[in-house]
Structures are given as structure tokens and as C-alpha cells.
Amino acid sequence: MLSIPISFWKSRQIDSPFFGVNFDPSNTIVAGEDPLELLEKIKSRVVSMHASDAYLKGGNLTDLRKLELDPVYGYAKTIQHGVVGKGLNDYDAIFRILKSAGFNGWISIEDGMNGMNELHQSAEFLRGKINQYFGL
């Protein structure tokens, strides 16, 4: 996975129609960036989305930026992955932005860390959002 900070996008250093982005909103949060702000800047380049959701097990986003990172996983141990749609990401805003950009790519699900029931809930949530915003 390649993480590119917003400052890089602001400079518009990549000018190729062949460059696409896999957007992962939870990784954006973990990196200390606003996923909606980033998505607005890269929406024309998004070719797939890695749907995930994270929540904080104690503290808030300001606290997260001060915490020591886990050497194995690269982010704070207080970040927990869970059911998509029940965490920190605003999926209505994400889907509105993707639709406005004409997104028609793949959406993969990052879930199941706590069992198949959570994966099923995430799939149902995403199916509902896809139908709501794209009429599929």
C-alpha cells in the first residue's frame, strides 16, 4: 500500500492519465489526515476503494496523533477495526464524493478481524450504500 500525504497532492506532481488510487479512508485517519479532504483532492483518480472502518478504543483523534505507534502494525494500538459504517468514517459523504466523480470501480472490504458476523454486517451496510448512491 502506498500512502501519499495531502501535501504531495497539493503540488500536483503526478500528471498521468494512467495513475489511479485505491482509497482507504481508515488509513487516512490513522495517518492523521482528514479522509474527506483527501478524497476531494484525489476523487478523479480513485479507481477502487478499500472499505474499512476504525474506531478508537479510548481517547480521540487528537490523542491518537500523540500516541506511540505499534512497531508491528505501524499505528497506535488504540485503533481498532470493526464493522464498516460503525466507526469514524462518514460513508454518506464518501459515497456522495465518489458518485460526484463518476466512480465505477471496485470496493473491497477490510473486515472480519472479529469474525464472519462483522464481515456480513459490513457487506450489508456497503450493499445498502451502493444501492442508495448508485442504484445497483
Side-chain angles (χ1 to χ4, degrees):
M1 195 238 357
L2 173 65
S3 295
I4 301 174
I6 290 175
S7 58
F8 182 83
W9 291 103
K10 287 180 180 175
S11 68
R12 302 189 187 281
Q13 293 180 16
I14 296 176
D15 185 22
S16 169
F18 304 106
F19 183 78
V21 173
N22 175 45
F23 177 64
D24 185 328
S26 292
N27 281 352
T28 308
I29 289 172
V30 170
E33 302 284 351
D34 180 335
L36 299 178
E37 182 182 332
L38 175 62
L39 182 56
E40 279 291 347
K41 294 185 183 317
I42 65 168
K43 65 186 175 187
S44 66
R45 299 285 189 165
V46 175
V47 295
S48 62
M49 180 174 71
H50 194 63
S52 61
D53 223 336
Y55 64 93
L56 294 175
K57 189 176 179 180
N60 57 43
L61 289 175
T62 302
D63 297 332
L64 172 65
R65 292 182 181 110
K66 298 176 190 174
L67 295 174
E68 188 173 317
L69 301 180
D70 182 301
V72 175
Y73 297 105
Y75 52 82
K77 293 178 184 178
T78 58
I79 286 282
Q80 302 292 310
H81 283 291
V83 176
V84 176
K86 294 187 177 181
L88 297 168
N89 287 306
D90 180 349
Y91 273 95
D92 282 311
I94 289 168
F95 274 91
R96 273 194 302 272
I97 295 167
L98 290 174
K99 182 177 181 174
S100 75
F103 176 78
N104 67 351
W106 287 92
I107 298 174
S108 63
I109 301 173
E110 178 183 2
D111 195 2
M113 296 178 73
N114 300 313
M116 291 304 290
N117 184 45
E118 285 192 2
L119 181 59
H120 178 73
Q121 290 176 54
S122 293
E124 287 299 314
F125 172 80
L126 289 166
R127 189 174 292 121
K129 290 299 171 197
I130 291 168
N131 188 46
Q132 178 183 353
Y133 288 93
F134 295 96
L136 301 177

